[in-house]
Structure formats: C-alpha cells, structure tokens
Amino acid sequence: MGGLMRLIEKVLAYLLICLTTLIVAGVTWQVFSRYILQDPSSVTEELSRFLLIWIGLFGAAYAYRTGSHLGLDIISNRMKGVALKLNRIFIHLSVMTFAVVVMVIGGISLVSLTMTPAQISASLEIKMGFIYLAVPASGVLITLFAIDNLIKTLTNQEPAGE
C-alpha cells in the first residue's frame, strides 16, 4: 500500500503544480486584459475562481498527507507512549469520518444535485457538478490517506509528516 500512496501523493503534487500554474496564468491574463487592453476577460475570472476551489480542496488532501496541515498540537506535543498513540488514532478516525460523511457522501449529493437540473456556469458554460466534483474526489484522497496513517499508527510506523 505504501507504493500506491507514494504514487497518489506524487500525482497529487503534480496536479497541484499544474492547477497553480493555470491560476497564475489566468490571473496574469486577467490583469493584462483589464489594465492594458481595457477589455477584461470574464472567462479568466470564473476559471480562476474554480481553480481556487480545486487547489484548496486538493491542497488540503496533500497537506494532510504530508502532515503540513494546520493543527493545534499544544496538547499532543506533551503526550508520550500509549496516550500519544490513542490521540493519533482518534485524530485519524475523526479525519476519516469527516472525509467520508461530509466530503464523499455530501459531495456526491452536491454533484448529483447540480448535474441533474444541469446548473451551468455563466462564462465557461460547463456544468457546475464538474466543479463540485473536487469535493468527493478530495474526500476520497483524504480517506485513503487517513486509512494509511491509521494503519501506520496501529503498526507503530511513523505516518507521513509526523
């Protein structure tokens, strides 16, 4: 499972690099077209908004995998032994539960809700369900990473980023 997780992490990192490159190019074109050409592009504004959603959600999954997600560790830094292990198990189970219930199940509901009546974006004219697909997809990634971290914690291996 370790090799698969490393592959997913690497693909996710490249995806985030591509998305960040696209948003920088889009915003640069938006600024250029607005202030130099005096004809702002509505497509780049909407595209940048959608890319920001994807970067935020997939970035959260990547940050969780690498252990660089924002967290309060004042109490856990003082723990040792069994208490620390139980704390990590609780954290990974909590993350996994949130990812499954809210992001995967709720995200699938959101996607189906916006696909059926075909809610279309204004400028790009794409179904909003495709934009919201980032919610369940990142939820699946976070769930996989939580399961991997949980297995590593239970087998006394060091989860990524800890």
Side-chain angles (χ1 to χ4, degrees), residues 71-134:
L72 298 175
D73 55 2
I74 296 169
I75 297 171
S76 62
N77 280 344
R78 297 173 188 220
M79 293 181 174
K80 299 210 182 317
V82 175
L84 179 61
K85 187 173 184 173
L86 290 173
N87 182 50
R88 287 185 177 166
I89 290 169
F90 174 75
I91 288 169
H92 297 312
L93 285 173
S94 298
V95 168
M96 186 172 56
T97 302
F98 177 84
V100 169
V101 173
V102 175
M103 297 181 78
V104 176
I105 296 171
I108 289 170
S109 295
L110 176 65
V111 169
S112 67
L113 185 69
T114 56
M115 287 293 237
T116 306
Q119 187 179 9
I120 306 292
S121 69
S123 294
L124 295 173
E125 296 181 359
I126 57 175
K127 291 183 178 182
M128 290 302 294
F130 293 125
I131 304 304
Y132 298 141
L133 197 58

Side-chain angles (χ1 to χ4, degrees), residues 13 32-33 35 42-43 53 56 68 79 89 99 101 118-119 123 131 134 151:
F32 180 78
S33 67
Y35 294 107
S42 61
V43 171
I53 293 168
S68 56
M79 293 181 174
I89 290 169
V101 173
Q119 187 179 9
S123 294
I131 304 304
I151 291 169

Side-chain angles (χ1 to χ4, degrees), residues 20-86:
T20 302
T21 303
L22 281 172
I23 198 170
V24 167
V27 170
T28 301
W29 176 252
Q30 175 67 17
V31 169
F32 180 78
S33 67
R34 180 178 301 237
Y35 294 107
I36 305 299
L37 302 178
Q38 299 295 315
D39 185 24
S41 172
S42 61
V43 171
T44 55
E45 184 177 332
E46 190 172 88
L47 178 65
S48 297
R49 191 174 331 119
F50 296 157
L51 288 172
L52 189 60
I53 293 168
W54 278 59
I55 290 169
L57 289 166
F58 287 114
Y62 185 77
Y64 177 67
R65 172 64 181 169
T66 59
S68 56
H69 204 282
L70 180 63
L72 298 175
D73 55 2
I74 296 169
I75 297 171
S76 62
N77 280 344
R78 297 173 188 220
M79 293 181 174
K80 299 210 182 317
V82 175
L84 179 61
K85 187 173 184 173
L86 290 173

Side-chain angles (χ1 to χ4, degrees), residues 7-22:
L7 176 66
I8 292 172
E9 182 181 342
K10 187 177 279 194
V11 169
L12 186 57
Y14 286 125
L15 174 67
L16 286 167
I17 290 168
C18 292
L19 292 174
T20 302
T21 303
L22 281 172

